[in-house]
Amino acid sequence: MTHEPRPAPCGTWSSPIDAGTVAAHDGRADHVGAVGEELWWTSARPSEGGRRALMRLRGDGGPPEVALPPPWDARNRVMEYGGLPWAGTPRPTGGPLIVFTHCVDQRLYSLEPDAPEGAVPRPLTPVSAVGGGLRFADAVLMPEHGEVWCVMEEFTGEGPTDLRRLLVAVPLSGAAAEDRAVLRELTDDTHRFLTGPRPSPDGRHLAWITWDHPRMPWDGTELRLAGLAGNGEVGPPVVIAGGPTESIAQVEWGARGEVLYSSDRTGWWNLYRTALTDSRDAGPPAVGPAEALHTAEEEFADALWKIGMRWFAPLADGLVAVVHGRGGKRLGLLDPDRGVLTDAPGPRTEWAPALAVRGTRVTGIAASPLRGYELVELDTATGYSRVVAAHHRDAVPADHLPVPESRTFTGPDGREVHAHVYPPTSPDHRPEPGELPPYVIRAHGGPTGRAPMVLDLEIAYFTSRGIGVADVDYGGSTGYGRAYRNRLRGRWGQVDVEDCAAVAAALAAEGTADPDRLAVRGGSAGGWTAAASLADPERTGGVYACGAISYPVLDPVGWAASGTHDFESRYLDSLIGPFDEELYRERSPLHHAGRITAPFLLLQGLDDPICPPAQSERLLAALAGSTVPHRYLPFPGEGHGFRRAATIARAVEAELALYRETFGIEADRSETLETETR
């Protein structure tokens, strides 16, 4: 039986999506990989303190198992955003051997899940009392050497940039568990950043990617190749691709022993291969010319925020599984010899950069606007796909979920601005006659990143109450080629602000949104954009009535002066320009706090090493005596991005309260804004 939706003021609609539901479904599966016939991955656990559980799916068709119970947390803090936290290998007897990093102490552990005495993790690396200690990521097991090879991040002092990174070999015997000197260094620390090792199938070569300050990995990286001796010694490397203006995002080995990699040398991350022309063990390896596998104006990679991300995976038959697209990412199969690309069927609009291969089967993590992220397996021999784990379960009826539309708006100077628009949606309510709904403009983090068009219960929390949402891929976002990505260079706080405001103004002008009830929100770099938008009403045309700012960058001067972690410590060189105090102050929302007249909400994790709470506290101090309504919610124990269920729930309720208070929406409120009068 159906019924007509009843008119009701937008923002007051009853909804089955409460803050607890949002928190319970925050996070997704990640880091899927194959261990023989088994699948392993990590899974978010907001209700367990935000830890990530290590999951196992045996090859016998049984249900998924939690391989590591609480309090084990399969994460690491390499480059603070972390990298691939586990690796595994099958064994003839005794079950698989797994290694993983534990977030609490950052040590590398081994795990024998089928051991008769029980699965008790055993430490492989020591604890260091220096600075941020020793951290490990992006590992590969080398049982023939009795070692696990990985990236090591080692702090040499107390400052956030006092560190070195290199490839190391960790004994599987546990001999290095209390002795740093036992770790065997495979490379030196000449380069500031690097990805994990990729040994060739024949064990004769090793490939990895490096880059250095002030470049970020999407600016320019180098693909290095070295000979590998039988005793595990790494020879002198040569650069076979990449450079200051060419980004290599991933490297793998093909079925015939060729090097496969993604490069944006044409302005788009496409796939290439290079054959080895000299397979000697000694001396630098020799390679042939690079061959493009499929040239297209779309992306076969993305920004390398976490080492170990995998956008393509070779199969034994020579095919290559790829996630690719313009904007969103879909799964395809590439025949590298013919250059033919065939997409997998299905409704999923986004595939994560995590692929596992078992024979002819490819497993990835995929979602759509109506289904959350699931582990989906494609059998390349039959073309049949199925969900194998992390099955979507409807948390609420589907008719309460918005169906987004991908749109291209026109920004200043006629430039394109991409966005996903999520309209207010409810089977029970509709706007009152003549009423236009309020809209929230969301600026994603990064800023070198993008907004995936997938089921997001945080978005649905607002749309189901009658508040629309627009996710903006402003200039500087990935997914649309290097030229679109470079649009933000030197203009952070300008292009992003203008593009978001252009979407807001367009929605109002076309009659989709109420021009008097528009808000801006964002976290991290999106928090910068939200704050900069409120602090620059001239640039935005004063389009916003309020803003929600989470764990933001606010003070470029402080950020540049050891105010953040090493990975992003030179990011502003490209986003704003080489350090110039006057320029950085001119661009800073903090130093223009006096221009803020719209109410705002400020959310901050007190253990955030990337955007430390000092920046938020400086903004509050700058507003002392102001009558601008604002509320500050600090969260002890939270870092960059909220993981705990209670934090997520309180944050989303406070954001709704901001909109209701500002827009004059009469409804039950769980939070009220406070006016700062200091």
Side-chain angles (χ1 to χ4, degrees), residues 32 323 331 351-352 354-356 362-366 374-378 388-389:
V32 66
V323 289
L331 178 66
W351 289 75
L355 295 173
V362 177
T363 302
I365 303 169
E374 303 171 286
L375 265 65
V376 181
E377 178 186 86
L378 170 69
V388 294

Side-chain angles (χ1 to χ4, degrees), residues 70-220:
W72 294 102
D73 188 354
R75 286 189 291 136
N76 58 68
R77 290 179 56 189
V78 171
M79 302 194 315
E80 291 301 348
Y81 291 106
L84 182 65
W86 73 273
T89 188
R91 298 183 296 180
T93 60
L97 175 64
I98 306 296
V99 297
F100 69 95
T101 52
H102 179 41
C103 189
V104 173
D105 58 16
Q106 292 298 298
R107 299 172 86 181
L108 193 66
Y109 288 79
S110 67
L111 175 70
E112 298 182 70
D114 297 336
E117 64 274 16
V120 180
R122 182 169 54 92
L124 300 179
T125 58
V127 174
S128 171
V130 179
L134 289 170
R135 303 171 178 180
F136 303 87
D138 205 9
V140 58
L141 279 158
M142 304 290 286
E144 65 272 29
H145 298 292
E147 296 171 327
V148 54
W149 294 7
C150 57
V151 172
M152 181 180 74
E153 183 175 81
E154 179 176 27
F155 279 78
T156 58
E158 296 303 317
T161 61
D162 296 335
L163 48 76
R164 61 198 291 257
R165 297 182 185 89
L166 60 158
L167 299 181
V168 298
V170 179
L172 287 168
S173 65
E178 304 297 334
D179 187 357
R180 159 69 180 86
V182 177
L183 298 175
R184 185 166 67 92
E185 299 187 0
L186 300 172
T187 65
D188 58 26
D189 59 358
T190 299
H191 300 287
R192 192 66 170 182
F193 305 97
L194 72 169
T195 64
R198 295 293 182 268
S200 61
D202 62 8
R204 294 185 175 186
H205 297 91
L206 193 69
W208 68 100
I209 298 168
T210 66
W211 69 97
D212 291 287
H213 281 319
R215 284 179 281 158
M216 299 300 285
W218 42 86
D219 296 326

Side-chain angles (χ1 to χ4, degrees), residues 33 117 121 264-265 321 334 380 388 409 430 435 444 451 456 517 641:
E117 64 274 16
D264 72 345
R265 62 185 58 173
L334 175 63
T380 64
V388 294
F409 295 87
R430 58 183 171 85
E435 181 187 19
H444 61 69
D456 185 333
R517 296 191 295 174

Side-chain angles (χ1 to χ4, degrees), residues 497 501-502 504-505 508 514-520 532-546 595 597-598:
V497 168
D514 185 339
D516 296 322
R517 296 191 295 174
L518 295 168
V520 62
S533 297
L534 298 184
D536 196 351
E538 182 176 343
R539 189 177 299 277
T540 64
V543 71
Y544 300 118
C546 63
R595 298 179 186 171
T597 60

Side-chain angles (χ1 to χ4, degrees), residues 233-320:
E233 293 294 324
V234 180
V238 295
V239 175
I240 66 169
T245 59
E246 179 185 356
S247 170
I248 310 296
Q250 183 187 342
V251 59
E252 304 289 345
W253 292 90
R256 296 192 291 268
E258 70 275 32
V259 183
L260 302 178
Y261 57 94
S262 56
S263 165
D264 72 345
R265 62 185 58 173
T266 66
W268 299 84
W269 274 303
N270 284 184
L271 294 189
Y272 298 82
R273 68 180 171 191
T274 296
L276 276 64
T277 60
D278 186 345
S279 60
R280 295 175 300 171
D281 290 338
V287 298
E291 178 189 357
L293 301 185
H294 181 83
T295 302
E297 289 191 349
E298 57 179 284
E299 307 283 35
F300 288 74
D302 213 300
L304 187 64
W305 280 99
K306 299 180 180 182
I307 57 174
M309 300 171 85
R310 203 177 193 199
W311 293 274
F312 68 90
L315 280 70
D317 60 6
L319 296 176
V320 182

Side-chain angles (χ1 to χ4, degrees), residues 413-636:
D413 304 320
R415 64 180 183 245
E416 290 186 345
V417 181
H418 303 287
H420 308 311
V421 179
Y422 297 79
T425 304
S426 171
D428 303 318
H429 306 286
R430 58 183 171 85
E432 291 189 318
E435 181 187 19
L436 293 176
Y439 258 80
V440 178
I441 306 301
R442 290 179 28 136
H444 61 69
T448 309
R450 61 184 177 86
M453 192 172 71
V454 296
L455 173 61
D456 185 333
L457 288 182
E458 184 176 300
I459 290 177
Y461 178 83
F462 296 104
T463 59
S464 63
R465 286 169 168 78
I467 300 173
V469 174
D471 247 342
V472 182
D473 281 344
Y474 48 82
S477 300
T478 60
Y480 309 96
R482 182 180 273 264
Y484 195 89
R485 202 163 73 236
N486 284 350
R487 187 185 292 174
L488 201 61
R489 291 183 70 87
R491 296 200 62 197
W492 194 36
Q494 296 175 336
V495 164
D496 50 326
V497 168
E498 293 167 354
D499 286 358
C500 287
V503 172
L507 292 174
E510 70 186 23
T512 297
D514 185 339
D516 296 322
R517 296 191 295 174
L518 295 168
V520 62
R521 65 94 68 196
S524 188
W528 157 279
T529 301
S533 297
L534 298 184
D536 196 351
E538 182 176 343
R539 189 177 299 277
T540 64
V543 71
Y544 300 118
C546 63
I549 305 165
S550 300
Y551 38 90
V553 183
L554 295 171
D555 179 16
V557 176
W559 176 284
S562 300
T564 189
H565 64 139
D566 182 61
F567 176 54
E568 294 181 272
S569 62
R570 299 291 302 276
Y571 197 4
L572 299 185
D573 284 41
S574 59
L575 290 176
I576 298 178
F579 182 74
D580 178 285
E581 185 168 351
E582 182 178 351
L583 172 64
Y584 279 32
R585 286 177 65 90
E586 186 280 328
R587 199 69 62 82
S588 166
L590 173 63
H591 293 288
H592 295 299
R595 298 179 186 171
I596 298 176
T597 60
F600 67 90
L601 172 70
L602 181 59
L603 307 172
Q604 178 68 55
L606 294 183
D607 294 342
D608 190 342
I610 297 171
C611 294
Q615 298 222 353
S616 290
E617 291 162 3
R618 289 178 198 143
L619 178 63
L620 296 174
L623 287 169
S626 168
T627 59
V628 174
H630 61 280
R631 182 172 177 80
Y632 177 53
L633 293 180
F635 295 102

